[in-house]
Amino acid sequence: MSETANSLADLETLGADVQAPVQIAAVVREQEIDAQGRAYATGRRKDAVARVWLKPGTGKIVVNGRDQEVYFARPSLRLVINQPFGVTERTGQYDVIATVKGGGLSGQAGAVKHGIAQALSKYEPLLRSAVKSEGFLTRDSRVVERKKYGKAKARKSFQFSKR
């Protein structure tokens, strides 16, 4: 390619010599299930970590051995957990068993949502684009800021007095 192009017409003739670009095939993901026919994923949010197993069923969600209505009493938290199923239109088609440690209820609900979304994309790889476009596969990295010395909290100062 030692030739130089002085005009647009020359540029077009140079492009004719170059072969057509090679098209890259889309990555086809495989279904990842264990011997019991379940998909496993780990979800994280704040300080909470959720281990999630997903299998075909009637839509029952069990968190730490208790039903989701008992463990997450607030309806808003149950709504958060069921978001991945709503986006993929799979409500009531999968059973979820989750164990959660650390954090508060809000962080735990976010961790379970993250785990369910990942497990769904492992069980049905074609759903990955729908779940990913909603941002459910992205780990929300926001955590509580640490307390600094000389401060009341992370950023709050003590009351100032001139005298």
Side-chain angles (χ1 to χ4, degrees), residues 91-160:
T91 307
Q93 295 182 19
Y94 290 101
D95 286 345
V96 176
I97 299 169
T99 57
V100 194
K101 290 182 181 176
L105 285 177
S106 177
Q108 288 184 350
V112 172
K113 176 180 93 168
H114 186 224
I116 288 173
Q118 285 189 336
L120 260 176
S121 67
K122 287 181 179 180
Y123 198 88
E124 286 189 58
L126 295 176
L127 298 178
R128 182 175 170 83
S129 60
V131 175
K132 190 175 176 79
S133 65
E134 291 292 323
F136 295 152
L137 294 181
T138 306
R139 194 255 199 245
D140 191 351
S141 60
R142 295 176 295 170
V143 292
V144 178
E145 190 175 350
R146 76 172 187 89
K147 183 193 176 302
K148 281 78 171 184
Y149 57 87
K151 297 277 188 176
K153 294 164 99 178
R155 296 186 182 201
K156 184 181 178 185
S157 298
F158 297 109
Q159 183 172 350
F160 176 74

Side-chain angles (χ1 to χ4, degrees), residues 9-41:
D10 295 342
L11 200 65
E12 289 176 5
T13 58
L14 283 176
D17 298 340
V18 180
Q19 295 178 352
V22 179
Q23 293 201 352
I24 300 170
V27 178
V28 179
R29 297 184 180 269
E30 294 182 13
Q31 186 182 37
E32 298 177 36
I33 55 173
D34 62 4
Q36 286 85 24
R38 305 174 300 184
Y40 170 78

Side-chain angles (χ1 to χ4, degrees), residues 19-63:
Q19 295 178 352
V22 179
Q23 293 201 352
I24 300 170
V27 178
V28 179
R29 297 184 180 269
E30 294 182 13
Q31 186 182 37
E32 298 177 36
I33 55 173
D34 62 4
Q36 286 85 24
R38 305 174 300 184
Y40 170 78
T42 305
R44 292 184 177 90
R45 171 80 172 96
K46 293 187 177 180
D47 276 341
V49 179
R51 299 185 304 158
V52 177
W53 288 269
L54 184 91
K55 63 181 180 180
T58 59
K60 187 177 180 185
I61 299 176
V62 178
V63 181

Side-chain angles (χ1 to χ4, degrees), residues 2 6 57 78 84 104 139 152:
S2 61
N6 296 327
R78 290 196 300 269
R139 194 255 199 245

